[in-house]
Amino acid sequence: MPDINLTIDGKKLSVPAGTLIVEAAKTIGIEIPVFCYHHKLDPVGACRLCLVDFSPGPPRPQTACTTPVSEGMVVRTQSAMAVQARADILEFELANHPLDCPVCDKGGECPLQDFTFRHGYPTSRIDGPRLHFKKPIPLSDKIALDRERCVLCYRCTRYYDEVAWEQELTTDERGVQSFITSQFDRPLQSIFSGNIIDLCPVGALTSRVWRFESRPWDMSHSETICSRCSVGCSVTQWQRRGQLVRVTSRENDDIDEGWICDRGRFDYTDVNDPSRVRTPTIAGRKSTWADAINLVAARIKGKGAKLGISLAQDVTNEEAFLFRRLLDGPLKGAKVKMHGRTAIPAPADPTMRIKEIDDARVIIVVASDIENDVPIIDLRVKKAVTKRGAKVIVVYPEGVDLDRNPSTVHIRNAKGAAAAEVRKLASHELLKNPGGPVAILFGDGHGSEDMNELAAACGDLAEQVGGKEMPLYRATNERGALAAGVAGWDKLDGVEAILSWGPPPTAGIPRSAKFIAAWDHLPRPGYESAVVLPAATFAERQGSYTNVEGTVQFLRPPIPVQPPLKEGWEVLCELGAALGVRLDYPGIFPIQRELASKVPAFASLAQPPSPDPAPPPVLVGPAHP
């Protein structure tokens, strides 16, 4: 379809047909204030703050968030009628709004504050008693609701309906007495609930984990990557005085679309744990780095299969590369078990991208509960169904989140029989004429499936129906560890010495282990007689992760490593020296350049992005009528 030509505030522009006025204005840097509108949600026109004046059209203000552009349209955002209309709406929004700005967590990054300054009346004409509600309401152990601050934009309820498919929030009462509440006053259970905090345009929905901790101007932040699963969502981590105090989402349409799960948003308090391991210890007594590393090296060198190594799921690509050097030398033959990884082998060819799920007409999910394994991919599948009309086939023994859609075809296979069910799908009614791309997403059934057989079955189905495959790795950097050749799947039974990198093995420390070395950031049961090396957390670690689709993404830690802590690559270099392997790198960048030159999957590491991305444009200045 041809583009539409229109004029906004005297500026001519062309945009695709169907573009809303509010989105068209953004392309030329014109701000139309909104509360209820959000570009990832369906427009609803509830708050009326986006009123503009346009012709041809009725001689009254119209909502820019629900009106698509038309050929020859002339939009005026600063006409007397439009400016007064927005100021009137803001006056009503503030009629019952409490004067909580000095203590409200939204202060400093609150659209209501900004819009009042730029678009509101200098003084209010309303001088009456304000409506009061009980506050705050604990919606869950992580989210608090302040009903007095709510402007009833319905972003939160629409998000639950449209994006998460979970009707946990609703509106109660009517008119001026309306308020947001949970269904039947039950606590929120969704693992995607934290996104309503970012969506809320005022301070009505706040994080109980971060509540009253700090102000935006009192923190510094870094744009980095989430470490909680293999999706690799883009997040912003905020630090204050050396502590990680908040994690928020950061929009990346190729991967997460601005959503993150609650694990990524709230599971960060261990970074600030007062009991964190900060100095090496030997059998509970403080030690120097040199003594601890030399002892570890002496007790694990040349052990072969008698040495077990539990590998952390969030090992970076750079750490994995250095670790491979040790496995090829003095630690050769050691048994390696990567924490939390799947049984899925490394892909032979490039796999499907997350954003390609949007265009799929049929999506097949095999041997994976994607809500828990790869949460944001679960939301991407829901978007394809809701917005694009995709059909879903699930092959899994138990109920899954996608069953909320009545049109989901769920084949409940016996455990271990997923491959047999996949081989029957080529003749399924939905796949005889899919009408477009087919996406095949497959996991490992949490170890219950024969992965060679299942991978072959999915590959055959992809050839038969012209589909694309995406293996659903679970561990944070499992795909990077596979490319580096360190993502072991060995059993650690019978080892005489063990190096536990990160949390202890899921099955616990083997009883046969006579020597235990732990490289961890928290004290754990069983470390009493071990050599413990303090580890940096995800908020302090430099390097990169490779996500489930094979994209290499750089980490930008918000908190610098404070001595005596050392970064992971430094410890591996020192351990290598103690083991007789020369790992002489002055910093992380030489490691990345060498890794990029030796492993094709890491070629993008040769050109890291700028550490200082361009700031988004900020519109300032009052627009009083």
Side-chain angles (χ1 to χ4, degrees), residues 29-32 118 617-621:
I30 293 177
E31 176 195 59
I32 298 177
R118 293 201 290 269
V618 178
L619 296 167
V620 297

Side-chain angles (χ1 to χ4, degrees), residues 89-265:
I89 292 297
L90 272 171
E91 190 172 25
F92 282 116
E93 296 283 10
L94 294 168
N96 288 307
H97 200 83
L99 302 178
D100 283 351
C101 296
V103 296
C104 178
D105 280 335
K106 200 73 171 181
E109 52 188 12
C110 176
L112 180 57
Q113 288 180 338
D114 298 337
F115 293 158
T116 300
F117 174 69
R118 293 201 290 269
H119 304 280
Y121 288 120
T123 57
S124 175
R125 296 172 295 174
I126 299 174
D127 184 19
R130 297 176 183 270
L131 191 66
H132 293 288
F133 291 102
K134 180 183 176 182
K135 54 189 287 187
I137 306 296
L139 291 182
S140 70
D141 60 336
K142 297 181 176 68
I143 301 175
L145 167 64
D146 191 316
R147 289 171 176 159
E148 290 184 352
R149 300 174 188 165
C150 178
V151 293
L152 292 178
C153 68
Y154 307 112
R155 282 190 186 185
C156 55
T157 57
R158 287 151 57 214
Y159 161 79
Y160 263 104
D161 292 344
E162 299 172 24
V163 179
W165 289 7
E166 299 177 73
Q167 285 68 43
E168 290 192 333
L169 282 181
T170 186
T171 308
D172 211 345
E173 298 298 340
R174 308 189 71 160
V176 73
Q177 298 291 337
S178 294
F179 58 82
I180 301 298
T181 186
S182 60
Q183 290 278 19
F184 311 112
D185 291 326
R186 293 174 181 169
L188 303 183
Q189 300 294 325
S190 171
I191 66 166
F192 305 110
S193 65
N195 289 312
I196 63 177
I197 297 172
D198 287 343
L199 279 173
C200 184
V202 291
L205 292 164
T206 54
S207 166
R208 297 179 69 187
V209 181
W210 178 63
R211 192 171 172 84
F212 302 139
E213 283 284 331
S214 52
R215 290 295 201 182
W217 57 82
D218 195 28
M219 301 182 286
S220 63
H221 62 275
S222 295
E223 296 181 351
T224 186
I225 305 301
C226 181
S227 66
R228 292 312 187 213
C229 78
S230 62
V231 178
C233 298
S234 299
V235 297
T236 300
Q237 294 176 353
W238 302 72
Q239 75 86 26
R240 178 177 183 263
R241 299 178 183 176
Q243 290 196 327
L244 182 62
V245 292
R246 184 169 69 156
V247 178
T248 55
S249 60
R250 178 167 59 89
E251 190 167 323
N252 181 349
D253 281 346
D254 287 345
I255 295 174
D256 54 69
E257 294 199 297
W259 313 125
I260 57 175
C261 70
D262 285 2
R263 292 202 303 260
R265 184 181 299 274

Side-chain angles (χ1 to χ4, degrees), residues 236-316:
T236 300
Q237 294 176 353
W238 302 72
Q239 75 86 26
R240 178 177 183 263
R241 299 178 183 176
Q243 290 196 327
L244 182 62
V245 292
R246 184 169 69 156
V247 178
T248 55
S249 60
R250 178 167 59 89
E251 190 167 323
N252 181 349
D253 281 346
D254 287 345
I255 295 174
D256 54 69
E257 294 199 297
W259 313 125
I260 57 175
C261 70
D262 285 2
R263 292 202 303 260
R265 184 181 299 274
F266 297 116
D267 290 359
Y268 63 82
T269 53
D270 59 324
V271 175
N272 311 320
D273 196 312
S275 65
R276 266 193 65 179
V277 179
R278 296 190 180 275
T279 56
T281 60
I282 299 175
R285 296 186 299 275
K286 288 186 178 181
S287 170
T288 64
W289 273 102
D291 288 346
I293 286 178
N294 287 334
L295 178 57
V296 171
R299 299 296 296 272
I300 67 175
K301 185 177 183 179
K303 287 284 186 180
K306 294 296 183 182
L307 171 64
I309 299 173
S310 175
L311 189 65
Q313 72 163 3
D314 60 348
V315 58
T316 65

